[in-house]
Amino acid sequence: MSEPLIKVENLKKYFPITGGVFQKTIGHVKAVDGVSFEINKGETLGLVGESGCGKSTVGRTMLRLYEKTDGKVFFNNVDIFKLNHRKMRALRPKMQIVFQDPYSALNPRMTVGNIIGEALLEHNLCTKDEYNKRVTQIMDDCGLPSYYMDRYPHEFSGGQRQRIGIARALAMNPEFIVADEPVSALDVSIQSQIINLMMDLQKEHGFTYLFISHDLSVVEHISTRVGIMYLGSLVEIGPKESIFCKPLHPYTKALMSAVPIPDPTLKRERIVLEGDIPSNSNPPSGCKFHTRCPIACDKCKKDNPALLNVGNNHMVACHFAEKDNG
């Protein structure tokens, strides 16, 4: 197995809640609450969960777009939160992000060529003489004709804009890319084009992806391993085949039961979760999922289960996991 490119250890990101006349901090939204995982070089880790579970915050904190509350993030065995401004700036080209909304992610006043190539000159990654050739090559890799260079974002469709966003990330020749729901704003036919493009580029350049999404079918297609998040914490993580064929956590089972089956002759037992999602500012004690879990017991209300390996690098945080695995 290849060496981990990314190591995340007990990562936490809390956002303050202010109130009163003097806007004092009266609480915190625990968006990410003690997340740990690794991503090996050249693989894709799919991160899945309901809206508000903290998966996008994980990605942005890993890139230090947000400063952490606690924990560590290692990139090539370097703790990025210990780097000063100059060293972090030097590392930025190696860690890039593709944003969710292709409409708001691009500067409407800049041409496509400048959007893709601006950072090349900013980080001295090429000379002015090499600039046009480099930008043209990246556009070609992303399926964008060179004559698009002098056009503006408003002249393109959503799928074309997302290709521009991907090209902007690739321009830096990164090792690691956070794809934050890159296809959720696109039509289904365009989604497949963007996913296949990302997979082709990964094979060609050896990129490492953190692919954030709430669409399990997309995650199953692109991912090597899959992590399931609930209320700021990882509840299950493992190889894609293991997660989709034999989910162990009750929350994962509920998510999988909602995935449509293309064969009308087959039926899957639907698991409907009862109750509302608790607040991130006041999460339940013990296992955070116990308020909605159909098999919760008194132990679940008191003890927060650790993320344990149950075999085949499949890890789950559930008191009943060993019973299910047996």
Side-chain angles (χ1 to χ4, degrees):
M1 183 178 289
S2 58
E3 288 294 318
L5 178 69
I6 299 287
K7 291 182 182 180
V8 178
E9 296 182 358
N10 196 34
L11 185 64
K12 297 181 181 181
K13 177 59 184 176
Y14 298 169
F15 294 98
I17 302 172
T18 58
V21 177
F22 300 103
Q23 291 296 296
K24 292 184 178 180
T25 300
I26 57 176
H28 289 89
V29 174
K30 299 178 180 179
V32 179
D33 195 17
V35 170
S36 300
F37 58 85
E38 297 179 353
I39 309 178
N40 296 321
K41 292 181 180 179
E43 79 166 356
T44 301
L45 175 64
L47 200 57
V48 182
E50 294 169 292
S51 296
C53 72
K55 53 189 186 294
S56 293
T57 306
V58 168
R60 297 187 182 210
T61 308
M62 286 172 63
L63 298 182
R64 208 173 166 181
L65 299 180
Y66 294 147
E67 289 296 322
K68 66 169 185 176
T69 299
D70 195 10
K72 298 178 180 179
V73 176
F74 295 92
F75 176 81
N76 275 330
N77 294 318
V78 176
D79 188 346
I80 67 169
F81 286 101
K82 290 185 177 180
L83 300 179
N84 59 29
H85 177 75
R86 179 179 60 81
K87 291 182 179 179
M88 190 65 215
R89 176 180 168 82
L91 185 64
R92 289 285 182 201
K94 297 299 181 183
M95 306 171 72
Q96 292 293 301
I97 185 169
V98 177
F99 292 100
Q100 175 178 356
D101 186 0
Y103 295 92
S104 63
L106 306 178
N107 188 334
R109 298 185 179 183
M110 295 177 66
T111 63
V112 168
N114 288 335
I115 288 171
I116 295 172
E118 178 187 28
L120 288 173
L121 298 178
E122 187 70 23
H123 287 271
N124 298 315
L125 297 179
C126 71
T127 65
K128 290 185 177 181
D129 294 334
E130 300 170 334
Y131 177 83
N132 282 344
K133 182 180 179 181
R134 180 77 177 271
V135 172
T136 301
Q137 178 61 50
I138 295 163
M139 292 178 65
D140 183 62
D141 288 345
C142 295
L144 297 167
S146 58
Y147 58 81
Y148 283 178
M149 281 186 67
D150 296 324
R151 296 187 180 181
Y152 290 86
H154 72 269
E155 301 179 60
F156 298 95
S157 67
Q160 289 172 320
R161 293 189 196 194
Q162 198 59 288
R163 286 175 183 265
I164 295 168
I166 293 171
R168 176 174 59 183
L170 300 190
M172 310 300 287
N173 193 25
E175 294 182 45
F176 175 57
I177 297 175
V178 172
D180 187 6
E181 304 209 34
V183 297
S184 63
L186 306 177
D187 293 336
V188 175
S189 60
I190 306 301
Q191 287 184 12
S192 61
Q193 295 179 21
I194 298 299
I195 294 299
N196 290 332
L197 170 65
M198 293 181 67
M199 295 178 71
D200 291 341
L201 291 170
Q202 185 178 42
K203 290 179 182 178
E204 183 178 351
H205 300 284
F207 296 133
T208 302
Y209 292 138
L210 174 66
F211 190 89
I212 298 167
S213 180
H214 59 267
D215 190 329
L216 285 165
S217 59
V218 171
V219 169
E220 184 179 17
H221 183 64
I222 195 174
S223 300
T224 313
R225 292 188 301 126
V226 178
I228 310 295
M229 282 192 70
Y230 181 79
L231 215 64
S233 301
L234 268 178
V235 296
E236 190 165 2
I237 185 170
K240 172 180 66 177
E241 296 79 8
S242 183
I243 294 289
F244 278 87
C245 294
K246 193 177 181 181
L248 297 178
H249 197 281
Y251 178 62
T252 310
K253 292 177 180 180
L255 291 181
M256 296 299 175
S257 75
V259 178
I261 301 176
D263 188 344
T265 63
L266 297 177
K267 290 187 178 182
R268 177 184 284 148
E269 183 181 353
R270 181 76 168 88
I271 301 174
V272 180
L273 298 177
E274 297 181 358
D276 297 326
I277 303 174
S279 170
N280 283 58
S281 60
N282 186 28
S285 60
C287 175
K288 294 180 181 179
F289 186 61
H290 84 259
T291 58
R292 304 173 71 198
C293 181
I295 61 173
C297 64
D298 290 339
K299 184 178 181 181
C300 301
K301 299 175 183 179
K302 300 175 183 177
D303 300 332
N304 188 20
L307 197 64
L308 299 178
N309 193 337
V310 293
N312 192 32
N313 291 319
H314 189 155
M315 304 182 74
V316 59
C318 179
H319 295 304
F320 292 91
E322 292 183 356
K323 295 180 182 179
D324 285 353
N325 197 43

